[in-house]
Amino acid sequence: EVGVFNGGSLHMWRDYFGEKARIIGIDFNPIALELEKDGFEIYIGNQESSDFWMDLKSKIGRVDIILDDGGHKNGQQIATLYHGIELIKDGGIIAVEDTHTSYFRRFGNPSPFHLLTILRI
């Protein structure tokens, strides 16, 4: 999961998928590293950084699911899709939460990516 904040959803995923599930969290804030004590893998980085994604790919390999609940700006969500697609196993899922923020001025919209959202390109 990209954007773990205080880890509540990581615990929910652990309950849902079971104790043997490998749950990985990504966040910009180093305080998220505290969640490692609960058995989660935590990586700190900027979801818009190509270097971060390249490093992450070398460390975690391929995954079944990516859930983006990180930054809600267009560039952040697009970067997760662009870089995350290479991490997904065949038949896997990428889900992006909070896409409604693509229409909020406080998230920098309309952005250069706004037209792409409307056209669904």
Side-chain angles (χ1 to χ4, degrees), residues 15-28:
D15 291 343
Y16 183 79
F17 289 113
E19 289 296 320
K20 293 183 181 179
R22 180 183 183 200
I23 309 289
I24 300 169
I26 297 168
D27 207 282
F28 189 70

Side-chain angles (χ1 to χ4, degrees), residues 50-101:
S50 296
D51 290 338
F52 169 74
W53 284 101
M54 288 179 64
D55 184 52
L56 184 69
K57 289 174 198 177
S58 71
K59 291 178 179 173
I60 68 170
R62 298 184 62 167
V63 297
D64 296 304
I65 301 169
I66 294 178
L67 175 62
D68 180 357
D69 191 21
H72 301 330
K73 294 184 179 179
N74 298 137
Q76 293 165 322
Q77 293 171 334
I78 290 169
T80 297
L81 287 171
Y82 180 80
H83 296 289
I85 196 76
E86 294 179 10
L87 287 171
I88 294 292
K89 294 178 183 176
D90 290 345
I93 296 170
I94 296 181
V96 181
E97 295 187 11
D98 303 310
T99 57
H100 67 285
T101 59

Side-chain angles (χ1 to χ4, degrees), residues 48 71-78 98-115 117:
E48 282 188 280
H72 301 330
K73 294 184 179 179
N74 298 137
Q76 293 165 322
Q77 293 171 334
I78 290 169
D98 303 310
T99 57
H100 67 285
T101 59
S102 296
Y103 302 95
F104 291 0
R105 289 194 185 282
R106 73 176 190 203
F107 287 95
N109 293 299
S111 77
F113 305 111
H114 183 70
L115 184 58
T117 303

